[in-house]
Amino acid sequence: KRVVAARDLQRARGGEGTLNANLSQPLLDEVSPVDNEMLAVIERAMEKHGLSTRAVNRLRKVARTIADLEGNSRVSATHLEEALSFRVLS
């Protein structure tokens, strides 16, 4: 039920049935703005794991989905850290 609700929310938010994975950069910035706490997580991840901007944006989309599954309208640094934990890092 949570997954169905999260997908419905994503489709409504993204327009034209867009799921988080397919968000454009401007829409991602709108629905998942980066605050200072998130920026610190991103900078550490980029430095430690050599993540590209593209990889960071994928992480932000996963973090947005995690927040949706929890029913949170705001994406937090904790969501971003959880998304990072799912990524296979060398």
Side-chain angles (χ1 to χ4, degrees), residues 18-72:
T18 301
L19 299 175
N20 289 342
N22 301 321
L23 290 174
S24 66
Q25 183 65 45
L27 193 52
L28 176 61
D29 290 339
E30 181 182 322
V31 301
S32 182
V34 177
D35 62 19
N36 289 336
E37 203 175 341
M38 288 175 66
L39 185 58
V41 171
I42 290 168
E43 288 173 346
R44 281 194 311 270
M46 290 179 82
E47 183 178 312
K48 183 176 180 180
H49 303 293
L51 299 181
S52 66
T53 302
R54 184 175 172 185
V56 168
N57 285 335
R58 286 193 307 262
L59 285 174
R60 289 179 58 206
K61 292 174 183 182
V62 172
R64 173 72 265 172
T65 300
I66 292 166
D68 289 343
L69 286 168
E70 292 180 355
N72 290 318

